[in-house]
Amino acid sequence: MKELVILSGKGGTGKTSIVGAFAALAKNAVFCDADVDAADLHLLLKPDVLERREFIGGGKAYIRRDACTSCGTCVELCQWNAIDDSFRVDPLTCEGCGVCVSLCPENAIDFPPTVCGEWYISDTRFGPLVHARLGIAEENSGKLVTLVRTEAAKLVERQSRELLITDGPPGIGCPVIASLGGTTAVLIVTEPTVSGRHDLRRVAELAQHFKVPAFLVINKSDLNPPMCTEIRNMAETLQVETLAELPFDKAFTLAMVQGKTVVEDDDCPSAARVRALWDQVRDRLEQLP
């Protein structure tokens, strides 16, 4: 099995639109939405949920009033101000660090695990999809990202498929790190802006740290040609191969509104460009061990 993870240093670059197009073009693949904080690949793939499971995350502190002596230690220790003067814990503010649990002199604080969301195995018109939904203000330390990737990999093996395509989270934090480990290659999607250039460097350096080959596509490339040139030159310095530059096209948005991928419209000029990009990505994956 080979896995392609599509990343971007920031949101809004068009990452999920490209993942959706790849899903339409790939054969014998499983798809994974690891952007669990703001999952939206399902909007394009319109999955039929086959399996639904709870995601159990970290604990939330709970003070047992019958055992609490109101000493105030927990209030002083809590860096998140999650415990009020009446010694009640606000579950939305509690970060689940467990300091109050460990240092309460009366052992009056419980730390039960909580249901943070759900994860799903679904069927789509292009193939199986593993995805998830976090609850409001619930934690995502990368544990859920690892879970959906692991389950997607199991699905690839069970169904004797060849490729796993993962829509990764934006940024360079813990969820992104959890999406990178053990993958075959990374495709970075950026845009010709100052923040796009900055975030591209961060993601590229992260991929280098984990020794994962990285490739680049510059989306909306014609909106700022000088910046596009800067990004292309920087990518070359970072030893990241630029595979394509996609000009701005409203067809991406129109397709998204219709719940489709851009390559499902044969008359769209961008469809041909995305197909060419997929051919290059597929060739690079075939060359990698």
Side-chain angles (χ1 to χ4, degrees), residues 24 45 48 85 163 169 190 235 266 277 285:
L45 302 192
D48 295 318
D85 292 336
L163 178 63
T190 192
D266 293 331
L277 170 62
L285 286 173

Side-chain angles (χ1 to χ4, degrees), residues 211-230:
K211 297 180 172 57
V212 177
F215 306 100
L216 173 67
V217 53
I218 306 174
N219 198 20
K220 312 168 195 172
S221 58
D222 56 339
L223 296 185
N224 190 342
M227 181 60 69
C228 185
T229 300
E230 285 188 34

Side-chain angles (χ1 to χ4, degrees), residues 190-287:
T190 192
E191 59 187 9
T193 62
V194 173
S195 60
R197 179 187 61 189
H198 173 265
D199 295 330
L200 163 63
R201 176 181 290 277
R202 298 196 306 164
V203 177
E205 290 175 346
L206 186 66
Q208 287 178 347
H209 175 78
F210 286 97
K211 297 180 172 57
V212 177
F215 306 100
L216 173 67
V217 53
I218 306 174
N219 198 20
K220 312 168 195 172
S221 58
D222 56 339
L223 296 185
N224 190 342
M227 181 60 69
C228 185
T229 300
E230 285 188 34
I231 288 175
R232 190 168 54 247
N233 292 339
M234 186 181 71
E236 184 176 353
T237 301
L238 294 170
Q239 297 181 331
V240 175
E241 181 184 3
T242 302
L243 297 183
E245 298 176 16
L246 303 178
F248 175 78
D249 191 343
K250 291 182 180 179
F252 280 94
T253 303
L254 294 175
M256 189 180 356
V257 169
Q258 298 174 39
K260 297 180 179 179
T261 69
V262 70
V263 296
E264 292 177 270
D265 182 359
D266 293 331
D267 296 327
C268 172
S270 289
R273 293 176 180 268
V274 175
R275 288 192 184 95
L277 170 62
W278 168 246
D279 288 340
Q280 292 188 75
V281 170
R282 185 184 56 199
D283 290 344
R284 299 306 188 278
L285 286 173
E286 289 176 353
Q287 296 169 16

Side-chain angles (χ1 to χ4, degrees), residues 31-53:
F31 315 110
C32 173
D33 192 347
D35 187 3
V36 296
D37 282 300
D40 54 8
L41 185 58
H42 63 281
L43 299 176
L44 294 179
L45 302 192
K46 298 180 179 178
D48 295 318
V49 175
L50 304 178
E51 297 182 34
R52 183 189 306 261
R53 308 275 181 87

Side-chain angles (χ1 to χ4, degrees), residues 146-166:
T146 300
L147 174 63
V148 294
R149 283 188 66 209
T150 300
E151 294 299 325
K154 291 179 182 178
L155 199 58
V156 171
E157 184 175 353
R158 286 200 304 268
Q159 298 191 4
S160 300
R161 294 178 180 259
E162 299 173 350
L163 178 63
L164 174 58
I165 299 178
T166 298

